[in-house]
Amino acid sequence: MSSIRDVAKKANVAACTVSRVLNGTANVSPETRMRIEQAMKELNYIPNELARGMFKQKAGIVAMLVPNIRHPYFSSLATYIEDELYKNGYKLMLCSTGDDIGREKEYLKILKSNIVDGVIMGVNNQKPEDYQEFGKPLVMLDYYVDDKIPLVVSDHCAGGRLAAEEFIRSGCKYVLHIGNEADTERVISYESHKALQEVLSEHGIRSRELDIKWNTFDFQGYLELAMLILEKYPEIDGIMAADMPACAFLKAAYKLGKKVPEELCIVSYDGTYVARTNVVEITTVHQSLKEIGKVSVDVMLKLLAGERLKENYVRVGVEIKKGETTK
Amino acid sequence: MSSIRDVAKKANVAACTVSRVLNGTANVSPETRMRIEQAMKELNYIPNELARGMFKQKAGIVAMLVPNIRHPYFSSLATYIEDELYKNGYKLMLCSTGDDIGREKEYLKILKSNIVDGVIMGVNNQKPEDYQEFGKPLVMLDYYVDDKIPLVVSDHCAGGRLAAEEFIRSGCKYVLHIGNEADTERVISYESHKALQEVLSEHGIRSRELDIKWNTFDFQGYLELAMLILEKYPEIDGIMAADMPACAFLKAAYKLGKKVPEELCIVSYDGTYVARTNVVEITTVHQSLKEIGKVSVDVMLKLLAGERLKENYVRVGVEIKKGETTK
DNA sequence: TTGTACGCGTTATCAA
DNA sequence: TTGATAACGCGTACAA
């Protein structure tokens, strides 16, 4: 690896002159410039980003922490975020915690250490203090810490209502909605369940929430659970669940000879591509991951620029896309 | 941000003593140690990884370049790679080029600049020279540059044969296989097509390759194309395609009232979860992404350690998983 | 056991 | 237009 000094020596100039050519910060005589450019080529010189970053006190990298990048929700979101960051001259460092709380903690520790300029948090298993004391720009997705930490989230209230209305329209009598065991009051997406329940009960429709363990990426497991549930509770005629478990319920229904949507209506939540690649078009509450990604990066860029935010809570609209799993 | 010197000042010692406590490199009297640890806590001191990396001439980061992280193939692979890297003390920087050749070039340029220690390349649209002259450990996935650059790849030859045997078993007469327009001789996965064709023709079965534009992540587009093809060539009774387009063909067949597997057999290639989340279990040639990830990281670690590789070409086994889309 | 001094690669500041 | 010097934060000989 040749350094800027090697180039300077070869071109018979001082290091700072090379730097000026590199960055165009000041005028350099064409002749000197030529000599320097020649030397850079000959030495196959590449500026050291690490040193640059150290000097500028920034790395040009934003990290995104996700529970599992394999999950279509997060991999899609990551695409959009990477896209937006790239447009603005930042690179994305993607960290997947494998649903491991300890690993999340370790990542947070590492990320504090100047290796990145900010973090977009798609995972939220630490104590609020751990986020509050992070010391770097932080954007939380779907998780409320306090009024100071920016939060970007889908309008899950609307999402729950839209789903409820779809069940009502379909004439369902008993709706089961599948939640995440680990979710707390701070997890905003939980609002979809509350909204669903509220609207359904206003219409005198029974509903029931079942929270399952979510942190395994195991379709077979979902499928077995779905079969069990459908067999045990034959009176259920409506299901709301995230895309992947919704697919499992759809498959379970087929295996059990239960007709969809005649005997069972399914609304999937999220709207990732797994809901679309199925043979049967699933009715879906669709989050705009593109918009969430864009907004998250916007907020991050503002934080990085030291701007003050008008609003620390950004809500992104959702919509329902009707498929063949509701009437 | 407090530096190591701030801590030293507060604890009334020299910076190097703090460093010694941090790294356990030498003996420090318990009393001094206590004072230093106290100071670190009070100042909320965090070592600067950038400076550390600069000194050690390494960043502790490995990059992975993929065409699109949204794609289940790459997002799954990235999970496994991240996992393996993490176990070995490295972080993953994931770069998604959005199927853009120019962006790939830019990324390569940036990644040269000491920002990462090595790159795992899941994308391959540059000239061979660009990879040969990279100047850092490089592991190529599914793409042959020359005998010097390590290559990790599934045994696509076996994959093609397994698929062919499945079509033969199912009594197919005319098999269409969907390839990627952009693939060249250097793309190893292309071998699956050659092997398929070879085995089929040995058995006197017609086959035909259709190369489609692959770089858009657009299921609707696949679906429309699949409908078109099935309508135009009704004599086709076998399809091999990557998971996502295979799903599209399955859906198209249902829409057109074509019975699977009676009138049309489908073998999907790759074995990502989209092939499993479907209502219909798709017969799949399954690549072991876990193994590919593990091997890639193994190779990378060896390169980083300066070890010589015995073999620059690692082939990972594939298997076929029978589903309901073949007889 | 502790401290001094320097190097890593870059850039800003000020002087020539 | 160019150069010298200091600074960024850390690690490590070497000296004390």
Side-chain angles (χ1 to χ4, degrees), chain A residues 75-76 79-80 273 276, chain B residues 68-72 75 96 217 273:
Chain A
S75 69
S76 294
T79 311
Y80 295 123
Y273 53 78
R276 279 199 333 273
Chain B
N68 197 329
I69 188 60
R70 248 184 115 182
H71 197 293
S75 69
S96 192
F217 196 89
Y273 53 80

Side-chain angles (χ1 to χ4, degrees), chain A residues 162 166 266-268 271 275-276 281-288 318-326:
Chain A
L162 286 170
E166 190 65 21
I266 299 176
V267 173
S268 79
R276 279 199 333 273
E281 201 96 33
I282 302 176
T283 299
T284 302
V285 175
H286 186 265
Q287 298 189 47
S288 176
V318 301
E319 53 184 330
I320 191 157
K321 293 193 174 172
K322 196 154 166 29
E324 308 163 64
T325 59
T326 51

Side-chain angles (χ1 to χ4, degrees), chain B residues 12-62:
Chain B
N12 258 323
V13 294
C16 71
T17 312
V18 180
S19 168
R20 281 196 268 265
V21 171
L22 237 53
N23 301 293
T25 21
N27 283 336
V28 177
S29 77
E31 192 209 345
T32 316
R33 170 183 305 265
M34 282 270 288
R35 265 213 326 280
I36 291 173
E37 276 168 356
Q38 180 65 26
M40 292 203 295
K41 246 186 209 155
E42 279 175 32
L43 291 173
N44 194 18
Y45 166 72
I46 297 151
N48 185 331
E49 285 298 330
L50 239 56
R52 231 177 206 163
M54 199 167 94
F55 184 84
K56 292 189 182 158
Q57 299 288 40
K58 67 167 231 174
I61 306 176
V62 169

Side-chain angles (χ1 to χ4, degrees), chain A residues 48 82 103 107 114 278, chain B residues 48 82 103 107 114 273 278:
Chain A
N48 185 331
E82 203 266 356
R103 195 149 143 193
Y107 262 126
N114 259 29
N278 224 301
Chain B
N48 185 331
E82 203 266 357
R103 195 149 143 193
Y107 261 127
N114 258 28
Y273 53 80
N278 225 301

Side-chain angles (χ1 to χ4, degrees), chain A residues 68-79:
Chain A
N68 198 329
I69 188 60
R70 248 185 115 180
H71 198 293
Y73 183 87
F74 289 106
S75 69
S76 294
L77 189 50
T79 311

